[in-house]
Amino acid sequence: MAALQQLTIIVPCYNEQEVLPESSKELLAVVRQLIDAHLIAATSRLLFVDDGSHDRTWSIIQDLEATDPIYTGIKFSRNCGHQNALMAGMTIAYPVSDMIITIDADLQDDVQAIPKMVQQHLAGFDVVYGVRSSRDTDTFFKRDTALAFYNLMRHLGVDMVPNHADYRLLSKRALGALLSFRERNMFLRGIVPLVGYPATKVYYARKPRYAGTSKYPLKKMLAFALDGITSFSIIPIRMILNLGILSVVGAIIVIVYSLIQNFRGNVIPGWTSLMTSIWFISGVQLIAISIIGEYIGKIFTEVKHRPRYIIQEDDFTSKVGQSKSLD
């Protein structure tokens, strides 16, 4: 009989003291259910990644660790961001895990989809995406802007799974392939499909946030979208070229029009061409400099090779190492 596979569920946390007691309880119940059904190994773990929280999140994680060996955690020395919290959890879990699942702590992603994900993995899939069955719980603005973002990314040539965030299962080999991507600006929703192993989807109904406030306000959502666009495609640069060509053609038309109007004596000489040149060229330059600046900024970040995160405490490695030695 083949040995059961070890699952690690990775939960990034940032100021989640209000929701963590409930989400940890629900996730523990799912893990126990899978262990009792002999679908995963008894050494499977819940790994909470405290992304530099300023509330009681870390103390709650430590209290959980004292109650059950399934609970483990790591704590960042400062806030490093959601994507880096996921990367930290996956990097630490990789050596001891046969599969991992990432899920947010806010209970909006249905934890009951986890058994379905595991079953799909055991059926042969390396990547299982948790996909929302609808966006009825979103506001009109959020729903439409999300759809516009997915459409834009598709036209830019980025392979993304619509209505999928960071709720997914990865096999060990899929996770190993993902961790081989060394870039610092990790846009996981675009990178995971590049792994290329057999993938499938599990659909679920997204719930309202259990407690607390969203950690992705409009400002962060826009920054996240910009990261996705500039991390994956050079099409914006080509759009600048097309815009430049269009501006030149427009300028020629305006010059011809100005000359005609000047010969007729209908305008002050030089005014139309001057104003058109200022507005056209200034606008094109500002757009071009802004987008090129995004790419230069990413190059600047990459060449510095700063660490993605700095771990202040690591209870996961020591606990898993002890359990392995007991085996």
Side-chain angles (χ1 to χ4, degrees):
M1 181 178 178
L4 296 176
Q5 296 188 36
Q6 178 167 318
L7 167 68
T8 300
I9 299 179
I10 299 162
V11 188
C13 305
Y14 179 62
N15 294 338
E16 299 288 4
Q17 65 177 14
E18 296 178 343
V19 70
L20 198 53
E22 181 63 24
S23 58
S24 61
K25 182 170 62 176
E26 292 195 17
L27 288 167
L28 176 63
V30 171
V31 173
R32 289 292 187 197
Q33 172 190 340
L34 291 169
I35 292 174
D36 294 342
H38 302 290
L39 293 176
I40 61 174
T43 53
S44 297
R45 294 288 185 267
L46 282 166
L47 170 57
F48 296 97
V49 182
D50 182 2
D51 184 20
S53 298
H54 303 298
D55 60 3
R56 294 186 57 254
T57 295
W58 179 241
S59 62
I60 293 173
I61 293 172
Q62 290 183 308
D63 291 342
L64 291 170
E65 290 177 326
T67 63
D68 196 304
I70 285 179
Y71 293 121
T72 58
I74 60 175
K75 175 180 174 59
F76 286 177
S77 60
R78 61 179 178 82
N79 178 246
C80 298
H82 182 265
Q83 299 290 284
N84 284 329
L86 290 174
M87 288 300 299
M90 291 189 290
T91 302
I92 289 174
Y94 174 66
V96 296
S97 304
D98 299 303
M99 55 178 156
I100 64 98
I101 290 176
T102 56
I103 184 173
D104 289 342
D106 56 16
L107 290 179
Q108 288 188 280
D109 297 324
D110 186 4
V111 299
Q112 295 306 317
I114 292 176
K116 299 176 184 177
M117 290 182 171
V118 172
Q119 290 169 353
Q120 290 292 340
H121 167 65
L122 296 177
F125 292 99
D126 287 279
V127 182
V128 184
Y129 298 103
V131 179
R132 299 174 60 171
S133 56
S134 71
R135 303 191 71 97
D136 293 340
T137 57
D138 286 349
T139 62
F140 174 81
F141 175 77
K142 188 172 183 179
R143 180 172 59 251
D144 281 21
T145 52
L147 293 175
F149 174 67
Y150 286 123
N151 288 331
L152 174 61
M153 295 298 283
R154 186 176 68 254
H155 284 97
L156 291 176
V158 183
D159 183 18
M160 290 179 60
V161 179
N163 297 323
H164 162 71
D166 289 301
Y167 188 20
R168 66 178 71 90
L169 178 148
L170 297 173
S171 68
K172 190 176 189 70
R173 69 171 182 169
L175 179 56
L178 176 64
L179 295 178
S180 69
F181 288 79
R182 305 308 303 168
E183 61 203 76
R184 282 180 46 81
N185 294 103
M186 294 292 283
F187 184 67
L188 291 172
R189 301 181 196 185
I191 291 178
V192 171
L194 296 179
V195 170
Y197 289 124
T200 188
K201 303 172 184 176
V202 166
Y203 292 92
Y204 67 95
R206 189 169 173 86
K207 304 175 182 178
R209 185 179 176 86
Y210 178 80
T213 58
S214 172
K215 305 306 183 295
Y216 263 92
L218 180 60
K219 182 179 178 181
K220 282 191 174 182
M221 288 176 62
L222 292 174
F224 183 71
L226 186 59
D227 268 344
I229 293 170
T230 56
S231 295
F232 274 86
S233 178
I234 63 170
I235 290 180
I237 293 179
R238 294 174 180 170
M239 291 172 63
I240 294 174
L241 174 61
N242 294 332
L243 182 60
I245 294 172
L246 185 62
S247 298
V248 170
V249 173
I252 292 172
I253 294 173
V254 170
I255 289 171
V256 173
Y257 173 79
S258 298
L259 288 173
I260 294 172
Q261 295 300 317
N262 183 59
F263 288 140
R264 292 177 177 178
N266 295 332
V267 296
I268 299 174
W271 186 87
T272 304
S273 58
L274 178 62
M275 294 304 296
T276 303
S277 298
I278 291 174
W279 283 99
F280 258 109
I281 301 304
S282 298
V284 170
Q285 286 179 337
L286 286 174
I287 295 172
I289 291 171
S290 297
I291 298 181
I292 292 172
E294 286 293 327
Y295 286 91
I296 294 174
K298 290 187 182 299
I299 294 171
F300 178 67
T301 302
E302 293 287 346
V303 298
K304 287 188 294 185
H305 296 294
R306 289 179 178 173
R308 291 194 183 98
Y309 49 84
I310 300 173
I311 296 175
Q312 181 172 312
E313 298 182 50
D314 180 4
D315 299 328
F316 179 84
T317 302
S318 58
K319 184 175 289 186
V320 171
Q322 292 175 0
S323 66
K324 291 289 185 181
S325 63
L326 293 176
D327 292 343

